[in-house]
Amino acid sequence: MSGMNRQGRPTSIANTAHGGTHNTFTGNKALELEEALLFEIDNPGACGVDLDEPEGYTSRLGNLARQGRIGLPSVSEPEVVRHFVRLSSKNYSIDAGLYPLGSCTMKHNPRLNEKMARLPGFGDVHPLQPQKTVQGALELMYELGHWLKELTGMPGVTLSPKAGAHGELCGMMAIRAALIARGEDESRSRVLVPESAHGTNPATAALLGYKVDAIPANAEGRVDLEAFKAKLGPDVAAIMLTNPNTCGLFERDIVEIARAVHEAGAYFYCDGANFNAIVGRVRPGDLGIDAMHINLHKTFSTPHGGGGPGAGPVVFSEALAPFAPLPYVVKEKDGSFRLVESEADAKADGTTPFGRMTAFHGQMGMFTRALSYMLSHGSDGLRQVAEDSVLNANYVLASLKDDLSPSFEGPCMHEALFDDRFLKGTGVETLDFAKAMIDEGYHPMTMYFPLVVHGALLIEPTETESKQSVDLFIATLKDLARAAKSNDKARFTGAPHMAPRRRLDETAAARKPVLKWSPPAPAQAAE
Amino acid sequence: MRYLPLTETDRREMLGVIGVKSVDDLFRDVPESAWRDGLVDLPRRKGELEVERILGRMAGKNVAAGSVPFFVGAGAYRHHVPASVDHLIQRSEFLTSYTPYQPEITQGTLQYLFEFQTMVAMITGMDVANASMYDGSTGCGEAVLMAHRVTKRRKAVLSGSLHPQYAEVVKNLSDFADYELEIMPPALPGKAEDIASRICDKTSCVVIQTPDFFGELHDLRAIAEAAHAKGALLIAVVPEILSLGAVTPPGEMGADIVVGEGQSIGNGLNFGGPYVGLFATREKYVRQMPGRLCGETVDADGNRGFVLTLSTREQHIRREKATSNICTNSGLCCLAFTIHMSLLGEEGYKRLARINHAAASNLADRLAKVPGVEILNRNFFNEFTLRTPKPAVEVVDALADKGVIGGVRASRLLPGVKEVEDLLIVASTEINTEEDRAAYEAALREVL
């Protein structure tokens, strides 16, 4: 009996105080687990599905039957689940913490919306089923269109664009179609785009063959009205303006800009990426806008999913509405819904669609989520969204005005812009400052954008952050600013230090691109 | 409101810090003419239960594909998606993460994109693939623009058996970007299409789909040779990506760009979206590719890691000189694709393809026995075209009334084309049972 342990295990921490960190054998750090590529855990013979070999059929592949190995890895279900769970642990997410990416609107993604999108009546219906078997799906599209039109005060809508940039393309195509109908397509070849615009704006205009002409910003971070007017002329097709703009400011002269654009015979495209700041409070239709895309994955909280899918419906003014692309949904007198999906249908309907942006009818999965979000908030909740998002951003701006350097006079809208003047002489740059935030447990803000200020730091807290959360964020930035100014470089040089990876060599990645896994070269046989 | 954490007390305190009396003061830059004191004319907020009731009622009006014998394809296919796929893509760290612009804290997304690119390159038989496009149709449009950039020519030729809505997307883009386009007349299975004679020294690319809109498989070797002889590229379009588990991939038949629709793997029907565009090409054209690319590199400690790379092609760097305006793509759908593909693996992917081929082959045998019905295809994968003795619009409708969703009538996508009015495009996948096929045959006999 003498070998019996009668003391149990040690329960005091007294003897563990002097341990230190060290490199582990596995490379893992407790809950932080390294994970190989799928191709490196390939185990021929394993499989994550059970399928029986089919029998008793005639092959109709002719001489096109596939020969040889593809090279796909063989992995069982538990290994697949573990692989992706381990990968997931290397990601930051809005569910885990504040995600202050300016102009990206990283807000809470309600799970109700996920549940609704997975109802078999929405998730398991085919775009080309007979229309009488999808009346509820068409009703949902019609209803979403109604909400978007009411919220923007615009009479026309198309749901088909797949993301924001696709929506921009759609809006600009409608403008070009209207100019063609007016016989002015040849003569109007220039599109005005402010210097502060998202890169997608000039890229979209250029895709349609337009010459992009940059409008400078004034000292207040807004379109320079006089410079803008000087650029207007009979060869201008449109202006592409973001409002609230990418400096987080409302374009005060927007009504005057719209008036001047229309007087010059051009159209007003508004980039709606920042609609979150004004939803339910200001209607773009009341500002004189002709077309605006709405990122459902921003304002209406469909999840960003690590870079998509998004959805970019576009609303249109009276002048552009008839040119909206195919397909679209109409409500019949008997209360049923009909998809107008061909030119012949449209002709009977009295519209002149410019064409088609995509196969099928758009991002239905996003429509369901967005409508679920809208119904949940209602007109009152959406107005509160705008107000709280603007309040949170102004609270950040006011709280940090003496620690960081605000680029422009407030108030801001839903995002606060700072530049790198506060870092002058510290040897710390915007990039270092942003990367140091990672060690503090935050995703960095949007940096070096917009281009109109030096070393930009664009912070959008969104309305779904509590005061407590924003207060801690503010305190953290104050502390980092203090550290930078007091020459405490250790927190910045080479940061992040505690993330799953340190800074990555992007130059090397671009110089000699490795864009896929390749099997290791077979070992040289000894001669 | 359950999603808004600020309380009235918080708001008052915060307004005090800002130094304004009310939130209205923060909106003072809004012009008077657009100022609204009241709410927009829409219903007020609702609790979860009420929202579920409203949307549940709408969903209930639709016939879910899984509830009936279901045979619709034509660019979107119903396959069984393993339970772990939907579970894993709903992990917060994937679902609610942004585009991986901060690689230190998004290695999860970046690594699966790298795995996705590798898998797409493998199955298409190409050198490189990007991190996705919106879907197959928009990817097809981008492929044509890329071919114009590569060849510095301006004219594309589209096969008449390309999915008509893909052709409409390409046409729309070509019209607005002022490029030339020739779309061949609809090419039914069994009828040779002389596309080679349409290629000249102005042609940048030829676009051919396989399996095509009518389900027919194509050997691309001759047309690839004809295109290359004139300095043009061959773009192969594959809307049923599962087919490549059984069929020779376009990359082995001389394609220069392969565009696919990845929905079949890991992604549901979703009434048409979101889907995931696959885009692969030859190494030498990589700098002309649209969309995001993920590449391998090392971090400051020398550990392997992944980053978005070759961004100098993209809009956020190059603005009006970018190869495309695409930004957000199909991240989470790529993840679903990658997880499902991992579960399938080499053997599962190929076997699932064989099961699909067997399902369609058996269905074709059954339906061919129905009096007056003719199968047009010679070689097909999991989809084929029926000629029916009545207009297909009536057949589809009558089948639906009997509880069978029997396919897509070709005239829905090719309105006004006389020769397709009696054609029905029918797909069969692993979801169909022998009972489903028997039900289809019986219903078809009744309605004809």
Side-chain angles (χ1 to χ4, degrees):
Chain A
M1 298 296 279
S2 62
M4 192 82 143
N5 177 1
R6 298 186 183 282
Q7 291 180 312
R9 62 182 175 83
T11 53
S12 155
I13 57 169
N15 297 329
T16 60
H18 298 294
T21 55
H22 59 278
N23 291 330
T24 58
F25 173 72
T26 53
N28 297 334
K29 293 172 194 157
L31 290 182
E32 198 190 302
L33 301 162
E34 288 294 314
E35 181 62 6
L37 287 163
L38 264 172
F39 308 95
E40 295 161 344
I41 55 176
D42 175 28
N43 184 17
C47 189
V49 294
D50 289 309
L51 298 170
D52 291 329
E53 187 62 33
E55 287 169 2
Y57 67 99
T58 314
S59 171
R60 272 132 159 156
L61 299 177
N63 65 345
L64 291 169
R66 180 168 200 138
Q67 312 293 330
R69 252 186 79 75
I70 300 170
L72 294 168
S74 301
V75 192
S76 66
E77 176 174 303
E79 292 168 287
V80 168
V81 170
R82 186 169 290 169
H83 176 73
F84 288 99
V85 168
R86 285 183 173 207
L87 288 191
S88 76
S89 73
K90 298 172 194 307
N91 269 7
Y92 195 85
S93 65
I94 182 66
D95 280 355
L98 193 152
Y99 219 126
L101 273 177
S103 273
C104 299
T105 312
M106 290 297 285
K107 61 167 75 175
H108 172 62
N109 302 142
R111 288 311 192 277
L112 171 65
N113 308 348
E114 294 303 305
K115 185 178 178 187
M116 294 299 95
R118 284 167 171 80
L119 292 173
F122 295 135
D124 191 26
V125 285
H126 191 289
L128 298 176
Q129 279 178 231
Q131 290 193 28
K132 65 182 176 187
T133 67
V134 289
Q135 283 294 304
L138 296 177
E139 180 181 353
L140 183 131
M141 290 173 67
Y142 185 85
E143 193 63 19
L144 178 71
H146 173 70
W147 277 76
L148 292 175
K149 288 191 287 186
E150 284 296 327
L151 287 170
T152 56
M154 306 277 275
V157 67
T158 177
L159 299 181
S160 63
K162 296 268 174 180
H166 207 219
E168 286 174 30
L169 188 61
C170 176
M172 292 303 290
M173 282 174 169
I175 286 171
R176 182 129 182 240
L179 289 171
I180 291 170
R182 274 165 44 185
E184 293 180 39
D185 180 44
E186 296 291 316
S187 56
R188 294 186 181 268
S189 58
R190 202 150 50 93
V191 168
L192 307 181
V193 183
E195 284 170 342
S196 61
H198 297 115
T200 49
N201 291 177
T204 299
L207 190 56
L208 296 181
Y210 286 117
K211 187 171 171 299
V212 176
D213 196 351
I215 316 170
N218 64 18
E220 293 171 335
R222 294 172 172 89
V223 166
D224 186 320
L225 191 62
E226 291 317 309
F228 158 70
K229 282 185 175 171
K231 282 184 182 287
L232 276 175
D235 64 331
V236 172
I239 180 176
M240 295 182 85
L241 184 68
T242 308
N243 189 47
N245 70 23
T246 59
C247 299
L249 303 170
F250 198 93
E251 292 284 352
R252 282 184 206 125
D253 296 323
I254 190 161
V255 173
E256 175 60 14
I257 290 171
R259 197 199 56 75
V261 166
H262 292 146
E263 192 180 80
Y267 292 98
F268 190 163
Y269 185 84
C270 182
D271 182 324
N274 292 339
F275 189 47
N276 203 56
I278 57 172
V279 60
R281 250 203 95 111
V282 180
R283 300 193 312 167
D286 298 335
L287 301 169
I289 284 157
D290 290 300
M292 182 178 94
H293 79 262
I294 297 157
N295 305 76
L296 296 186
H297 48 294
K298 295 183 181 177
T299 310
F300 298 106
S301 92
T302 74
H304 269 83
V314 182
V315 287
F316 293 110
S317 64
E318 209 71 69
L320 295 183
F323 301 99
L326 295 168
Y328 59 91
V329 179
V330 292
K331 189 173 185 176
E332 304 282 27
K333 285 204 185 72
D334 66 0
S336 67
F337 297 89
R338 181 170 57 91
L339 195 64
V340 175
E341 54 183 348
S342 71
E343 275 177 34
D345 291 351
K347 202 168 176 190
D349 201 42
T351 62
T352 50
F354 67 68
R356 174 178 280 279
M357 297 295 297
T358 173
F360 312 129
H361 329 312
Q363 306 283 66
M364 180 68 173
M366 304 295 117
F367 303 161
T368 313
R369 290 171 175 87
L371 187 60
S372 174
Y373 177 90
M374 290 172 181
L375 290 170
S376 294
H377 283 79
S379 55
D380 49 336
L382 288 173
R383 188 179 171 99
Q384 195 70 57
V385 162
E387 293 182 356
D388 284 0
S389 73
V390 170
L391 181 60
N392 266 349
N394 276 286
Y395 183 62
V396 168
L397 182 63
S399 303
L400 291 174
K401 67 177 191 301
D402 298 328
D403 305 273
L404 274 60
S405 29
S407 299
F408 301 105
E409 281 284 301
C412 63
M413 297 306 285
H414 68 315
E415 54 193 358
L417 178 62
F418 301 89
D419 53 49
D420 61 4
R421 281 170 297 154
F422 76 104
L423 294 172
K424 200 170 175 193
T426 64
V428 173
E429 300 200 8
T430 292
L431 182 70
D432 307 314
F433 191 82
K435 296 292 186 191
M437 288 171 65
I438 293 176
D439 283 333
E440 297 292 340
Y442 287 108
H443 193 285
M445 64 287 275
T446 295
M447 50 179 172
Y448 299 103
F449 179 85
L451 309 177
V452 292
V453 300
H454 199 267
L457 301 115
L458 184 63
I459 300 174
E460 179 179 358
T462 84
E463 73 282 2
T464 59
E465 291 306 320
S466 67
K467 179 169 178 295
Q468 200 172 26
S469 162
V470 177
D471 279 338
L472 182 59
F473 177 72
I474 289 166
T476 307
L477 291 194
K478 278 178 185 277
D479 187 61
L480 281 173
R482 181 201 51 73
K485 289 170 191 171
S486 58
N487 211 19
D488 181 5
K489 287 238 183 88
R491 289 169 71 181
F492 303 98
T493 310
H497 300 283
M498 296 174 230
R501 283 291 177 273
R502 303 275 309 282
R503 284 191 211 183
L504 290 123
D505 192 343
E506 298 184 34
T507 308
R511 195 184 304 129
K512 201 164 176 294
V514 178
L515 305 174
K516 66 173 183 182
W517 173 84
S518 302
Q524 296 285 318
E527 290 289 315
Chain B
M1 209 288 141
R2 60 188 180 276
Y3 305 134
L4 302 176
L6 297 185
T7 63
E8 276 311 316
T9 313
D10 293 334
R11 291 181 185 117
R12 265 197 312 277
E13 271 181 48
M14 293 164 81
L15 288 169
V17 170
I18 297 164
V20 293
K21 277 210 221 43
S22 81
V23 77
D24 282 351
D25 296 335
L26 302 176
F27 284 86
R28 65 176 176 242
D29 289 329
V30 174
E32 212 173 309
S33 62
W35 188 272
R36 295 178 66 90
D37 282 320
L39 297 176
V40 287
D41 188 17
L42 288 164
R44 300 293 188 99
R45 73 186 66 177
K46 291 182 169 59
E48 270 210 14
L49 179 59
E50 221 175 324
V51 175
E52 286 197 31
R53 275 194 194 117
I54 293 169
L55 292 175
R57 183 186 52 77
M58 279 189 213
K61 292 182 189 170
N62 303 319
V63 177
S67 66
V68 288
F70 188 86
F71 300 91
V72 184
Y77 300 87
R78 185 167 193 272
H79 293 288
H80 174 74
V81 178
S84 53
V85 175
D86 200 43
H87 174 79
L88 288 167
I89 68 166
Q90 286 193 76
R91 283 189 67 89
S92 296
E93 301 84 347
F94 290 135
L95 184 73
T96 76
S97 187
Y98 195 71
T99 305
Y101 290 136
Q102 299 291 335
E104 298 89 347
I105 46 173
T106 46
Q107 283 298 303
T109 300
L110 287 159
Q111 184 167 331
Y112 81 65
L113 289 177
F114 188 78
E115 293 171 343
F116 170 82
Q117 290 176 180
T118 306
M119 287 174 172
V120 173
M122 280 177 172
I123 60 175
T124 54
M126 302 300 283
D127 299 332
V128 285
N130 74 8
S132 82
M133 307 303 289
Y134 307 129
D135 70 352
S137 69
T138 55
C140 187
E142 291 272 12
V144 169
L145 297 187
M146 176 176 150
H148 293 339
R149 288 194 295 275
V150 168
T151 61
K152 300 190 170 65
R153 298 179 181 178
R154 314 182 49 86
K155 186 182 173 187
V157 182
L158 310 188
S159 159
S161 58
L162 177 65
H163 192 292
Q165 292 188 341
Y166 282 45
E168 286 173 46
V169 171
V170 176
K171 180 175 186 316
N172 188 52
L173 212 46
S174 291
D175 285 353
F176 278 113
D178 295 321
Y179 291 112
E180 284 178 63
L181 187 66
E182 177 172 351
I183 305 179
M184 306 286 284
L188 307 188
K191 273 209 231 157
E193 181 182 53
D194 184 15
I195 200 165
S197 71
R198 311 306 305 161
I199 306 170
C200 66
D201 58 7
K202 293 201 169 56
T203 310
S204 81
C205 60
V206 179
V207 182
I208 298 193
Q209 178 177 325
T210 182
D212 73 18
F213 177 58
F214 302 99
E216 189 71 8
L217 291 170
H218 293 279
D219 188 333
L220 304 176
R221 284 167 272 228
I223 188 67
E225 229 170 88
H228 295 156
K230 292 265 168 66
L233 305 189
L234 174 63
I235 298 173
V237 180
V238 187
E240 173 48 297
I241 204 66
L242 180 61
S243 66
L244 297 183
V247 175
T248 308
E252 288 179 20
M253 297 193 283
D256 300 286
I257 303 173
V258 181
V259 173
E261 173 52 71
Q263 171 270 329
S264 275
I265 307 291
N267 289 279
L269 290 171
N270 288 317
F271 202 48
Y275 290 172
V276 46
L278 313 181
F279 198 105
T281 189
R282 303 283 174 206
E283 180 101 52
K284 59 183 169 184
Y285 301 137
V286 67
R287 282 169 202 273
Q288 292 297 339
M289 268 183 127
R292 293 181 184 136
L293 285 165
C294 171
E296 185 183 316
T297 188
V298 290
D299 77 353
D301 291 337
N303 290 317
R304 178 171 70 183
F306 303 92
V307 290
L308 293 179
T309 192
L310 299 181
S311 309
T312 48
R313 300 162 301 112
E314 292 188 73
Q315 49 76 25
H316 62 283
I317 307 288
R318 282 299 287 277
R319 300 174 78 83
E320 67 266 27
K321 294 193 178 63
T323 56
S324 165
N325 76 337
I326 193 168
C327 180
T328 290
N329 52 18
S330 299
L332 203 69
C333 302
C334 298
L335 176 62
F337 180 100
T338 309
I339 298 169
H340 192 183
M341 206 58 154
S342 310
L343 290 163
L344 289 169
E346 177 90 12
E347 269 320 300
Y349 180 59
K350 288 176 168 174
R351 183 168 292 184
L352 184 60
R354 288 195 293 273
I355 293 170
N356 273 253
H357 184 51
S361 185
N362 287 337
L363 181 65
D365 288 341
R366 265 184 183 280
L367 301 184
K369 285 188 277 183
V370 178
V373 170
E374 183 194 351
I375 310 283
L376 299 191
N377 302 65
R378 209 159 60 98
N379 297 323
F380 61 85
F381 170 61
N382 67 357
E383 190 166 26
F384 54 86
T385 298
L386 291 184
R387 192 188 296 284
T388 56
K390 281 187 187 171
V393 62
E394 291 170 26
V395 178
V396 168
D397 215 45
L399 285 171
D401 288 340
K402 296 202 171 294
V404 174
I405 310 287
V408 182
R409 60 183 169 91
S411 60
R412 178 164 176 185
L413 289 94
L414 292 165
V417 179
K418 261 255 157 316
E419 57 177 316
V420 306
E421 279 179 358
D422 55 357
L423 301 186
L424 189 57
I425 301 164
V426 180
S428 188
T429 73
E430 77 283 2
I431 63 157
N432 298 129
T433 61
E434 194 56 28
E435 291 72 40
D436 289 342
R437 287 188 280 274
Y440 193 173
E441 184 191 339
L444 191 61
R445 282 179 192 277
E446 284 175 46
V447 306
L448 290 182

